[in-house]
Structures are given as structure tokens and as C-alpha cells.
RNA sequence: GCGGGCGUGGUGAAAUUGGUAAACACAAGGGACUUAAAAUCCCUCGGCCUUACGGCCUUGUCGGUUCAAGUCCGACCGCCCGCACCA
């Protein structure tokens, strides 16, 4: 008996599907559409197991929905701009464009070997002008709609590389590559007004019912709506006041100090005449902006000597500090501190010897006796020491104090968001040029639509630090489109999240060149019905895309609000880690077991320690190359392994034995059709079947329902288990039994159809071997015979005092009295009741009888 | 520090969402076939007690609610993920 030859079979069907254009789709208003999309990859060079998992999940959904009659759009493309290309250019002296395009070719070849049901005619790469020209136009439309603007903002500047660094590229205050001390610099940067949609982006999260709660919570926290008030504190001896934002206006009578950010105008102003303060500000700015850096930093303040006058308490003067924990980007960059009810303010007050006055007393406290020790009281309670607020609850006090402040003109109710506008300028080469021109006379001038695209020049010199566009004299110098005088192009490029914020819409009409996508195609295909990708994009990519969709709507491109109706976030692919005695990481396939059952390196023989399973990463070398697996076992085996055992949103452990198990199952399936009687078809006669044979046929039809339900809910591991059960059932058929041959043929047929989304190549081969002349990839999903899935009897558990004492086969939906009588008649039940009478009998029809004595 | 999640056999997991815990696999052990191996097939496989029939226990720990708890509630322990000192 020949073993299943995956190499020949997989290549054969991939070619058939491609030649027939099985997966090419067109808008068809007659059919329901289904758009399934996996997050497109950055072309880093080769696919990794994370890609294999992601694309397998999407492919199962796409093939299943196609079989269910949907017009399925399932595209693939390349997120092709980004920093790795520039790094590779510097390290290997290869042009970023060449490097990127070669990587795409290699990865496309690898993806094609997986047999994924993409409509490859829709493929595009975002680094090509045919793509990015449209986002240049979108940017100009945003500019006109007031959704894009330029402002000065602080960036991490690496003085050696002459470039801006992301937070994660700053390590201990130094550039990750140059090691130079990073400076905070103010640069004029382009921003998109995502905050204009803050409330909408937050509120609409509720509508995203097919998104994981986890992601919705993360986005909600990121947007960070808070309700509070602005409060104005006059500054003694100055004309200007201090505007503060607070979420606890109720604690205003407990205020003992004010504090401003190191970058607050007041701080900068005072620093001009105080070198001490200037030094303190510089120290604050040196502190990293990453959370870890701020976390470990001690809370420090610098007394400015200025006093803020309390808006509600006559003669009350609060010292104004510059403090390292106040952020310029949030609220007004200034706070009042109430140490009694904020731990950070309490720490600060103790350090600098400031008053601590409790103004909220917990319900349990003795009136007048409540004091604050080491812990601030942040709970609800009754107002004390607070003038007209005394006796009110916290919420009432908030309203009352705001009302009073508003009446006095000393404050107002306010809603604030943590969300900041999206800075899109990058001082980098390998990105989409920002289509504006800077003219000394006219200022910022948009590139006229007819001059788009602004094409990224290919002839650049990457050997020197800094952005090569800024050194490219020919490209950079142009005439002002408005006045015709010499001017300069913007040399910044877009953040690469720009490209991925609308690519899903481009797939709807990827070939049109006068616009990013046509309205009619967007109307038909969008939103994406099911989006699948990694949890690492839970906030930024998904939030930017949600914003972009709204911005495009405002500019008339489309009519939807939400780009992704359903979201599935897959878990990581993990593998055990290995290190030798010197602590060096080792590749899994260089580790073997020796005669003494010990782990050793396959060549040197030195001892190896097996570490815990972790996310596959190059740095820990615990990687398995998908291409090796596909060559050795085939794409179907890799797919099956990815889907078996673990639910998609959980982490998956890659194991060799698991792969072997998947491969054995494939061969077992293959033997199923090899041994099939495909000759003269004996008609199926239900009445002639014995019970065991009928059960297998019934199992096959029931499996249609259970597998469908599992696939609908993305419980792929359970679907695989059901298919294994059916396989076990078919294998157990007694060949000589009457009607066994036609039952076997029908059951295998159903099995093959249900396997099709998971093991497309093998299933197609089995389908053909069974004598079908149509393609399984174009065959509708099977339908269960209602007669065969109906159950006449059910197994009911019988308990005495909650303990299982036996089971009963009862006719379905039988009377409770019958169930009760049958249960009481069981020997095990009478024994367990030990002569006692039943006090109570609980019956859940078709499920359980519980006798309580 | 805050927020979210998870904890079930040697391992990955399942449990119709409060109703027979451990489906389906992996690993392990035993057997059949074979000159032998591979492949394949069959059996055993949570723990303890029992020759057997069977019994008792078991879902991180301790309590609670309920006729009934892996599932709900409270406290604790452990692990993972995310983050914003957010006023």
C-alpha cells in the first residue's frame, strides 16, 4: 500500500486551483459576501510559525465560508515599508527596495506552498507608488478636512544617527545602536486628529460584539476617558493664573500644593532665571518616557516659590512645585495635590512636609476622628473639613463644587481623554513621502493632486547618518506650486501604521489607479467580516484603522464606521528552549537524546538543559522553520497540527511528536479511501442495516452539525476531535455487515467534505480518488439527513444525594414520572438510599434525576 | 502600582455555560504481525483501597451558595499578558 505522497499531491492541487482561478472573486450582489482577512505580513525574509498559524486559521474560515455559499474575499499583500529594510541596507549594503522586493518574492513562494485560498490577483505591496500615492491623496484630504495639522512636539533624538528614536529604541537613556545619550528635541511634526473621534472610538467599542473583550478593554483604557473639572488658581503677584485639571474636584478643600510639569510654560519661564530649576527640568527630561523608567523614578519636586491662591478658601496659599510625575501631555500639565486621597500626592506631601487634611471620611469612621496615616483614602464616603460640602457624598460633592466654581468663574466641568493625536512624521527614508512643500513665502503648500504621487527616489546614499531624503538635492528642491519660487519638499515620511490603516479597503479594488478604492467595491466588501491576527496589535494598529475609517468616511470615501466586524486574536507559537552548559541558546534540531537518556548537542555531545517553553524567537533560537516541516510532512500536516489540541486564542506548543501524530492521521485517512469499494454502487437501504452500522452512518450525519458549529465559533481543535471520532467510527465498521459498503462510502464522503477546509490537498485527492469529477474546493458543504440525526433515546444520569449511582436509557422527552420510576427501580439507587424515603426528587428532563433522602 | 486573564491526568486539552469530570490526541507501558526493524493493529493508562464485584477521593488552596459547583460568590497562593505615576 503506497504511502500518501504529499509532495506530488499538494503541488498538483495547488496548480489546479490556480489554473481554474478557484479563489478569484468578483462583486456579486446576488450572493452574501464574506471578507476574511489575516493581518498582512512585514516582508522580513521568510515566513515563521506565527504566520503559518495566522494564515491557516484564516484559510480554514475562508474555505468553510465558501463551501457555505458565501462570496468569499480572501486577499494577501505586503506591509512593505519599515525600518528593518533600512537596517538591512546599512548592514548588508543592499538597497531597501531591492531587499524588500526579494523578500516578498521568497515569502510569496513560501505562502503558495501552503495552499492558501487567496485571490492572488489582488496582491499588492505598500512600498509601491501604485499603493502609496492614494494615501498621499488621503492625507491631503485630511488636511483639507482639518484632520491633519503640524505642531512642535518633543522627540527622542539620537545625535549620532541624526534620527528620531521610538521609546523602545531608547535603552537607559541611550540610543539602542549608537549608544549616544538621547536628547529631547522639539521638531515640527505632522499629526492626525484622532482625538476628534475619541468619544466615538470609545463608545462604538460596545458595538463590536465579535471582538474579544480583552481587546475592547485595552482600547478603552488607551482612550482613557475621565470626567472632572478645570480649576483656575490665581498666582499671587502674577497676572497669569494656573489652570489645573482634576477628576477629584470634591477634594479641593484638602489641597495642600500645586504642581506643574517640567515642560509647563511656567516652569520654562522660571527656569530662565534659575539655573537650579533649569537643571531640575533637564533631569526630568532625561528620565525616559517609557513606563518602566518612570515607575522606578523617585517622586521629586522643585519648589518654585510661587503661591497659588485657593479659589474657594480665603487667604489659603498653596506652594507651586515643578514635579517629575506631572505630564505635559495630559490634562493641562498642572495639578493640585490632595494628599489625603491620592497615594502619590501623599508620598509627595510627606517628603516635602506638606499638610495632610482628610476631606472624605469612610462610612465606618468616627465623625471627626478620621486621620490619614501611610495610606491615602481613595474610597467613597462623606465629606468633612470641606465648608459647604460637608456631609455630602463624593458624587454629590463633585457636582456641588463644580457648580460653585462655575458660578464664580473659577472652573468648569470637563471631560478629558488620555488619547493623544497621532504623530505621523518619521525622519526616515523607507516610507511614504509626506506630500507637502515648504515655501519661504507661502509656508506649507500641499502638493497638487495632479502632481501625485510624490515618488520616493531610489538613488539614495544610506552610508551617512540621518535621513537621505534630506540630503537628496535633486529630489528635495522644487518650485513652490503656489508662487513658483524655489522651495523644498517635506523630507519626512509617514509612520508605517499609515499604510496598514487602510489596506483592507484597498483589497476591495486593488487595481484602480485614480483612487485608493472605489466606493462601490467598498460598499460591497466592507467591513471585514473576520479579521485574524496577533494580540500585539490590540491597540495601535486596530485603533488607527478604526480612526482612519472614520476619517475616510468624513472625506466621502466610504460609509462605514468600523473596519473589522469580527476579530480573532491568535496565541503565540511556543517551543521549548535549550541551552548548553555555557548558557548559549541552541536550535531545537541540534539537540538529541543520548544513550543515557540525557539531552546533548548532536555534534559536540555537551550537556544541554531544557528550559521552559517560550514564544519562538530568533534570540532564543527556539525556532522551527516552517519550510522544513512543509518539505518533510506537507502543508496539510502543518495545518492540522496548528489546529489540533489548542484553541486558536491560546498559546500553542510546537512539538515534534505532535507533528508526527498529525502526519500519522493523514496517512490513516489516505488508507480509508484506498480501501474503499468505489466499484458497482450498492444502494443504501437503511432498513437493512444492523445497529452498529446504522450508528456509524448516524455519527457521520451528526458530525456535519457538530463540526459546522465548531467552525462557526472558531473551535477548530474541537472540530478536529469530532473528525477523529468519525474516523474511528468508520474504521470500526464491520466490513461483512449488510450495507457496510454503501455506509462506509457515504460516511467517508462526508468526512472528506468536512476535512476540506482543514486539509485541503488531501481532501481534494481523496475526493478525486472516490470518483468525483468536480473539485471539492467548489463543492457545497454537506447537509445532514434529519432522519439520521434525530435521537429517540437519551442517557440520563441518576444521582442519590448528588452522587452518581447509575445511568438510564430513556425515551427522549419522556414523562418525569416515568424517569422517576425508572430511577427508583435501579438496584444501585435502592442500595444507596439505604431504606430511607426520598424527600425530594429533582428531574432535569433528558439530563439528570437527583434523589434527595 | 493599576487593569485583564489563567490554574483540570505524565503532556496539549474537552465538558452542551450549574446537571455523568477527563471527549479527542500526545507520551508511556503491554501484546499481535515480522527473521528483524519500520509501518500498522489491539489492550492498559487521574489517585487510593479491593483477588474480584465494587467503593472512596480528585479540577491551585480554604470557605460559602445550591438538590447538584471545574463552572457562581468571597479570601488566599501561583503563573501569564497589557499599561497610563493620567491627577
Amino acid at each position: 500500500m503506497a504511502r500518501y505522497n504529499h509532495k506530488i499531491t499538494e503541488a498538483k492541487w495547488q496548480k489546479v486551483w490556480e489554473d481554474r482561478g478557484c479563489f478569484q472573486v468578483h462583486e456579486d450582489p446576488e450572493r452574501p459576501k464574506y471578507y476574511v482577512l489575516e493581518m498582512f505580513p512585514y516582508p522580513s525574509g521568510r515566513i515563521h510559525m506565527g504566520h503559518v498559524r495566522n494564515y491557516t486559521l484564516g484559510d480554514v474560515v475562508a474555505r468553510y465560508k465558501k463551501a457555505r455559499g458565501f462570496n468569499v474575499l480572501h486577499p494577501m499583500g505586503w506591509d512593505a515599508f519599515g525600518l528593518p529594510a533600512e537596517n538591512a541596507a546599512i548592514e548588508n549594503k543592499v538597497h531597501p527596495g531591492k531587499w524588500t522586493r526579494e523578500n516578498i518574492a521568497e515569502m510569496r513562494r513560501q505562502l503558495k506552498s501552503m495552499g492558501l485560498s487567496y485571490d492572488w490577483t489582488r496582491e499588492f505591496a505598500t512600498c509601491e507608488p501604485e499603493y502609496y500615492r492614494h494615501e498621499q491623496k488621503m492625507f491631503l484630504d485630511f488636511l483639507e478636512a482639518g484632520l491633519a495639522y503640524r505642531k512642535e512636539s518633543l522627540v527622542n533624538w539620537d545625535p549620532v544617527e541624526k534620527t528620531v528614536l521610538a521609546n523602545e529604541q531608547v535603552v537607559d537613556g541611550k540610543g539602542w545602536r549608537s549608544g549616544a545619550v538621547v536628547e529631547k528635541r522639539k521638531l515640527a511634526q505632522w499629526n492626525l486628529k484622532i482625538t476628534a473621534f475619541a468619544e466615538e472610538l470609545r463608545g462604538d467599542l460596545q458595538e463590536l460584539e465579535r471582538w474579544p473583550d480583552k481587546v475592547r478593554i485595552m482600547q478603552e483604557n488607551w482612550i482613557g476617558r475621565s470626567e472632572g473639572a478645570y480649576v483656575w488658581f490665581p498666582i499671587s503677584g502674577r497676572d497669569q493664573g494656573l489652570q489645573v485639571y482634576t477628576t477629584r474636584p470634591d477634594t479641593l478643600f484638602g489641597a495642600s500644593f500645586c504642581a506643574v510639569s517640567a515642560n509647563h510654560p511656567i516652569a520654562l519661564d522660571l527656569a530662565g532665571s534659575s539655573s537650579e530649576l533649569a537643571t531640575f527640568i533637564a533631569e526630568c527630561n532625561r528620565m525616559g518616557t517609557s513606563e518602566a523608567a518612570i515607575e522606578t523614578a523617585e517622586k521629586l519636586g522643585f519648589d518654585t516659590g510661587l503661591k497659588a491662591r485657593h479659589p474657594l478658601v480665603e487667604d489659603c496659599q498653596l506652594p507651586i512645585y515643578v514635579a517629575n510625575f506631572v505630564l505635559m501631555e495630559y490634562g493641562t500639565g498642572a495639578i493640585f495635590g490632595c494628599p489625603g486621597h491620592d497615594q502619590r500626592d501623599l508620598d509627595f506631601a510627606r517628603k516635602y512636609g506638606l499638610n495632610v487634611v482628610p476631606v472624605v471620611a469612610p462610612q465606618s469612621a468616627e465623625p471627626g476622628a478620621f486621620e490619614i496615616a501611610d495610606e491615602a483614602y481613595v474610597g467613597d464616603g462623606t465629606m468633612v473639613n470641606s465648608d459647604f460640602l460637608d456631609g455630602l457624598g463624593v458624587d454629590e460633592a463633585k457636582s456641588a463644587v463644580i457648580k460653585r466654581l462655575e458660578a464664580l468663574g473659577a472652573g468648569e466641568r470637563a471631560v478629558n481623554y488620555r488619547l493623544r493625536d497621532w504623530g505621523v512624521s518619521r525622519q526616515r527614508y523607507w516610507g511614504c513621502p509626506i506630500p507637502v512643500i515648504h515655501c519661504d513665502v507661502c509656508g506649507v503648500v500641499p502638493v497638487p493632486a495632479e502632481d501625485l504621487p510624490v515618488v520616493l527616489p531610489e538613488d539614495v546614499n544610506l552610508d551617512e547618518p540621518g535621513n537621505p531624503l534630506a540630503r537628496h538635492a535633486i529630489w528635495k528642491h522644487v518650485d513652490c506650486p503656489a508662487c513658483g519660487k524655489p522651495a523644498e519638499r517635506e523630507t519626512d515620511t509617514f509612520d508605517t501604521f499609515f499604510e496598514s490603516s487602510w489596506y483592507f479597503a484597498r483589497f476591495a479594488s486593488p487595481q484602480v489607479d485614480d483612487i485608493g478604492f472605489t466606493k462601490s467595491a467598498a460598499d460591497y466588501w466592507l467591513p471585514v467580516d473576520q479579521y485574524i491576527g496577533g494580540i500585539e496589535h490590540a491597540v495601535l494598529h486596530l485603533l488607527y484603522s478604526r480612526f482612519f475609517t472614520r476619517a475616510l468616511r468624513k472625506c466621502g470615501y466610504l460609509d462605514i464606521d468600523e473596519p473589522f466586524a469580527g476579530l480573532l486574536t491568535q496565541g503565540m507559537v511556543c517551543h521549548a528552549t535549550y541551552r548548553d552548559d555555557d548558557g548559549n541558546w541552541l536550535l531545537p534540531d541540534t539537540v538529541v537524546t543520548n544513550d543515557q537518556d540525557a539531552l546533548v548537542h548532536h555534534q559536540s555531545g555537551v550537556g544541554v538543559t531544557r528550559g521552559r517553553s517560550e514564544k519562538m524567537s530568533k534570540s532564543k533560537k527556539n525556532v522551527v522553520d516552517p519550510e522544513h516541516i512543509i518539505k518533510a510532512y506537507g502543508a496539510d500536516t502543518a495545518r492540522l497540527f496548528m489546529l489540533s489540541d489548542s484553541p486558536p486564542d491560546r498559546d500553542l506548543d510546537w512539538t515534534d511528536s505532535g507533528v508526527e501524530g498529525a502526519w500519522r492521521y493523514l496517512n490513516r485517512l489516505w488508507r480509508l479511501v484506498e480501501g474503499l469499494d468505489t466499484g458497482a454502487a450498492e444502494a443504501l437501504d437503511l432498513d437493512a442495516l444492523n445497529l452498529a452500522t446504522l450508528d456509524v452512518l448516524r455519527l457521520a450525519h451528526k458530525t456535519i452539525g457538530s463540526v459546522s458549529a465548531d467552525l462557526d465559533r472558531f473551535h477548530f481543535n474541537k472540530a478536529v476531535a469530532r473528525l477523529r471520532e468519525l474516523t474511528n467510527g468508520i474504521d470500526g465498521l464491520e466490513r461483512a455487515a449488510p450495507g457496510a459498503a454503501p455506509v462506509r462510502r457515504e460516511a467517508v464522503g462526508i468526512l472528506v467534505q468536512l476535512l476540506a477546509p482543514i486539509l485541503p490537498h488531501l481532501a481534494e485527492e481523496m475526493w478525486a480518488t472516490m470518483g468525483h469529477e468536480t473539485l471539492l474546493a467548489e463543492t457545497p458543504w454537506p447537509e445532514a439527513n434529519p432522519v439520521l440525526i434525530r435521537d429517540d433515546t437519551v442517557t440520563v444520569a441518576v444521582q442519590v444525594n448528588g452522587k452518581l449511582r447509575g445511568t438510564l436509557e430513556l425515551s427522549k422527552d419522556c414523562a418525569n414520572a416515568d424517569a422517576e420510576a425508572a430511577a427508583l427501580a435501579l438496584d444501585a439507587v435502592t442500595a444507596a438510599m439505604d431504606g430511607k424515603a426520598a424527600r425530594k426528587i429533582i428531574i432535569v428532563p433528558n439530563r439528570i434525576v437527583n434523589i434527595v433522602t
Side-chain angles (χ1 to χ4, degrees):
Chain A
M1 208 183 285
R3 267 187 134 188
Y4 171 60
N5 187 325
H6 67 265
K7 279 189 188 150
I8 292 169
T9 306
E10 291 189 348
K12 174 171 80 181
W13 293 113
Q14 282 163 17
K15 183 164 191 308
V16 171
W17 295 329
E18 180 154 7
D19 289 350
R20 279 186 57 93
C22 275
F23 307 116
Q24 286 179 35
V25 283
H26 308 282
E27 290 145 52
D28 177 0
E30 302 300 309
R31 287 166 65 203
K33 67 93 184 180
Y34 193 90
Y35 183 0
V36 56
L37 182 67
E38 300 106 58
M39 290 181 183
F40 68 161
Y42 178 77
S44 56
R46 296 177 67 76
I47 62 168
H48 55 66
M49 284 299 178
H51 294 128
V52 174
R53 190 173 196 197
N54 193 178
Y55 305 150
T56 297
L57 295 171
D59 201 49
V60 173
V61 173
R63 287 175 180 268
Y64 170 63
K65 290 290 178 182
K66 180 174 159 69
R68 293 305 296 255
F70 289 91
N71 192 25
V72 173
L73 174 59
H74 187 212
M76 179 47 70
W78 310 96
D79 189 13
F81 274 136
L83 204 51
E86 286 185 64
N87 291 337
I90 293 164
E91 280 157 32
N92 309 326
K93 305 266 177 223
V94 53
H95 190 275
K98 182 170 189 285
W99 183 84
T100 302
R101 292 180 186 108
E102 283 174 2
N103 286 350
I104 288 173
E106 173 67 3
M107 289 174 74
R108 183 193 299 113
R109 181 190 64 76
Q110 290 188 303
L111 288 189
K112 289 203 170 183
S113 77
M114 283 183 64
L116 301 164
S117 63
Y118 295 129
D119 178 354
W120 282 105
T121 65
R122 291 174 186 259
E123 177 192 4
F124 58 77
T126 59
C127 63
E128 306 301 343
E130 293 75 31
Y131 181 84
Y132 67 70
R133 64 180 301 170
H134 303 297
E135 67 189 39
Q136 292 179 337
K137 178 68 168 61
M138 288 169 191
F139 176 78
L140 296 179
D141 290 336
F142 292 168
L143 200 56
E144 208 176 311
L147 292 170
Y149 66 97
R150 220 158 106 91
K151 86 165 188 210
E152 297 246 304
S153 38
L154 283 177
V155 295
N156 301 311
W157 181 261
D158 185 319
V160 172
E161 296 212 354
K162 294 197 173 73
T163 188
V164 173
L165 300 179
N167 282 339
E168 64 268 23
Q169 293 171 328
V170 181
V171 183
D172 294 333
K174 294 180 182 131
W176 64 308
R177 196 155 52 191
S178 69
V181 173
V182 170
E183 304 164 9
K184 295 266 173 182
R185 264 210 197 181
K186 271 207 161 168
L187 281 186
Q189 308 245 58
W190 286 101
N191 286 266
L192 296 188
K193 219 165 179 176
I194 190 169
T195 54
F197 296 95
E199 187 53 43
E200 198 183 324
L201 288 167
R202 194 191 69 88
D204 287 354
L205 285 169
Q206 278 200 310
E207 322 281 310
L208 296 172
E209 286 167 13
R210 293 196 293 115
W211 279 41
D213 290 342
K214 182 191 170 94
V215 175
R216 291 195 282 180
I217 289 165
M218 284 166 78
Q219 291 216 351
E220 175 147 17
N221 291 342
W222 187 266
I223 293 166
R225 179 193 153 100
S226 68
E227 289 181 19
Y230 291 121
V231 184
W232 285 277
F233 288 78
I235 300 176
S236 300
R238 287 203 164 206
D239 301 338
Q240 89 202 104
L242 184 64
Q243 192 192 9
V244 152
Y245 175 71
T246 180
T247 54
R248 293 298 302 273
D250 53 303
T251 64
L252 192 52
F253 287 95
S256 56
F257 67 95
C258 286
V260 300
S261 160
N263 297 300
H264 194 279
I266 289 179
L268 298 175
D269 179 30
L270 293 171
S273 55
S274 162
S275 63
E276 228 182 316
L277 178 54
T279 308
F280 180 75
I281 290 172
E283 267 171 39
C284 290
N285 281 339
R286 235 194 324 278
M287 194 169 76
T289 48
S290 81
E291 192 223 339
I294 296 167
E295 184 87 24
T296 50
E298 190 186 356
K299 285 150 191 70
L300 295 173
F302 184 95
D303 191 346
T304 60
L306 293 177
K307 303 286 180 199
R309 291 210 308 276
H310 195 290
L312 299 178
V313 184
E314 202 76 34
D315 298 330
C316 176
Q317 304 253 344
L318 305 174
I320 300 177
Y321 286 81
V322 175
N324 64 351
F325 60 86
V326 179
L327 304 178
M328 194 58 220
E329 294 83 4
Y330 188 81
T332 60
I335 63 161
F336 77 76
C338 175
H341 306 284
D342 182 299
Q343 191 59 43
R344 185 195 47 209
D345 292 347
L346 183 62
D347 295 345
F348 193 81
R350 296 282 188 231
K351 186 176 176 91
Y352 293 103
L354 301 165
N355 286 342
V356 179
V357 181
V359 290
V360 181
Q363 241 72 40
S364 57
E366 289 283 317
F370 180 61
E371 281 186 28
I372 302 289
D374 297 337
E375 242 177 79
Y377 177 68
V378 296
D380 201 355
T382 309
M383 303 307 298
V384 293
N385 303 324
S386 294
D387 196 341
F388 65 96
L389 299 177
D390 283 352
L392 297 178
V394 165
D395 285 342
E396 298 165 300
K398 281 179 181 167
S399 295
V401 78
I402 290 170
K403 208 168 148 196
R404 178 70 61 95
L405 288 169
E406 284 176 341
L408 294 170
E412 66 184 24
R413 184 178 290 279
V415 170
N416 225 302
Y417 296 90
R418 174 199 171 273
L419 184 70
R420 294 176 211 146
D421 277 337
W422 173 17
V424 293
S425 295
R426 296 291 182 272
Q427 294 68 39
R428 303 246 156 75
Y429 164 64
W430 194 236
C432 171
I434 299 176
V436 297
I437 289 164
H438 298 279
C439 171
D440 287 341
V441 181
C442 310
V444 174
V445 182
V447 171
E450 61 270 22
D451 292 346
L452 295 181
V454 178
V455 176
L456 192 64
E458 293 269 329
D459 57 328
V460 289
N461 170 17
L462 288 151
D463 294 337
E464 291 170 45
N467 183 352
L469 294 179
R471 299 190 298 265
H472 196 295
I474 303 163
W475 182 82
K476 185 174 166 182
H477 296 287
V478 287
D479 292 340
C480 171
C483 69
K485 295 210 173 72
E488 288 187 3
R489 285 194 190 283
E490 169 75 63
T491 60
D492 286 355
T493 52
F494 284 131
D495 176 7
T496 55
F497 275 119
F498 213 98
E499 283 81 52
S500 55
S501 292
W502 69 282
Y503 79 108
F504 49 88
R506 179 66 177 170
F507 279 131
S509 51
Q511 272 98 22
V512 295
D513 51 29
D514 55 331
I515 190 163
F517 51 91
T518 65
K519 180 90 181 346
S520 61
D523 286 345
Y524 181 77
W525 290 115
L526 296 181
V528 173
D529 294 278
Q530 191 59 48
Y531 197 32
I532 306 174
I535 187 75
E536 65 272 20
H537 292 113
V539 178
L540 293 184
H541 162 58
L542 291 170
L543 193 61
Y544 290 152
S545 297
R546 296 181 63 219
F547 155 69
F548 223 88
T549 303
R550 287 168 173 78
L552 290 173
R553 181 196 63 199
K554 194 173 175 193
C555 294
Y557 280 79
L558 39 66
D559 292 327
I560 57 163
D561 298 331
E562 291 293 342
F564 312 119
L567 176 68
L568 175 64
T569 50
Q570 103 235 14
M572 299 181 294
V573 181
C574 301
H575 195 286
T577 48
Y578 299 98
R579 306 177 90 152
D580 65 18
D581 296 339
D582 298 332
N584 301 312
W585 300 103
L586 299 173
L587 287 165
D589 58 10
T590 63
V591 177
V592 292
T593 311
N594 70 5
D595 306 340
Q596 284 91 49
D597 264 0
L599 291 176
V600 293
H601 187 262
H602 69 137
Q603 278 168 347
S604 66
V606 299
V608 171
T609 312
R610 183 195 171 97
R612 47 178 286 185
S613 182
E614 294 185 65
K615 179 186 180 176
M616 284 189 182
S617 74
K618 278 180 192 161
S619 61
K620 289 180 181 152
K621 291 200 176 174
N622 59 337
V623 290
V624 175
D625 186 342
E627 186 143 1
H628 292 168
I629 299 299
I630 290 168
K631 280 205 171 118
Y633 298 99
D636 282 346
T637 300
R639 294 168 63 112
L640 178 63
F641 177 81
M642 285 293 176
L643 298 167
S644 307
D645 295 344
S646 291
D649 54 344
R650 220 179 285 188
D651 287 351
L652 175 94
D653 256 318
W654 184 272
T655 61
D656 289 344
S657 56
V659 178
E660 290 280 350
W663 168 240
R664 280 200 300 270
Y665 179 56
L666 257 70
N667 281 285
R668 200 173 147 212
L669 287 166
W670 177 237
R671 286 193 298 272
L672 224 46
V673 285
E674 275 210 326
L676 204 61
D677 173 17
T678 51
E682 178 191 338
L684 183 60
D685 177 6
L686 291 183
D687 296 330
L689 304 179
N690 65 26
L691 221 57
T693 311
L694 182 63
D695 273 348
V696 173
L697 189 64
R698 282 165 47 79
L699 175 63
H701 282 262
K702 284 181 173 179
T703 305
I704 295 172
S706 56
V707 167
S708 303
D710 288 336
L711 294 183
D712 282 334
R713 287 179 300 169
F714 310 131
H715 293 177
F716 305 111
N717 54 326
K718 285 161 69 182
V720 171
R722 298 288 88 83
L723 292 165
R724 291 254 199 185
E725 274 175 345
L726 177 56
T727 310
N728 292 343
I730 295 170
D731 257 347
L733 265 179
E734 199 187 328
R735 285 189 182 253
V743 165
R744 188 182 178 84
R745 195 162 51 239
E746 181 162 324
V748 170
I750 288 170
L751 176 64
V752 167
Q753 282 188 275
L754 299 181
L755 283 167
I758 295 168
L759 304 171
H761 308 90
L762 175 65
E764 196 76 75
E765 182 72 10
M766 289 170 78
W767 189 248
T769 306
M770 290 176 76
H772 294 281
E773 283 171 11
T774 52
L775 280 179
L776 182 54
E778 295 177 341
T779 302
W781 199 243
E783 285 195 36
N785 178 347
V787 173
L788 290 168
I789 58 173
R790 205 180 56 219
D791 280 310
D792 296 326
T793 64
V794 286
T795 308
V796 173
V798 181
Q799 297 178 337
V800 177
N801 294 326
K803 271 191 184 165
L804 184 72
R805 294 299 170 185
T807 58
L808 287 170
E809 278 298 310
L810 295 175
S811 59
K812 200 173 179 212
D813 300 322
C814 74
N816 281 354
D818 295 345
E820 184 180 320
L824 286 167
L826 282 176
D827 288 345
V829 170
T830 35
M833 287 173 74
D834 197 21
K836 291 188 202 114
R839 269 199 300 131
K840 196 171 169 189
I841 298 179
I842 288 124
I843 299 176
V844 181
N846 302 325
R847 195 143 289 167
I848 204 159
V849 178
N850 189 9
I851 298 159
V852 186
T853 61

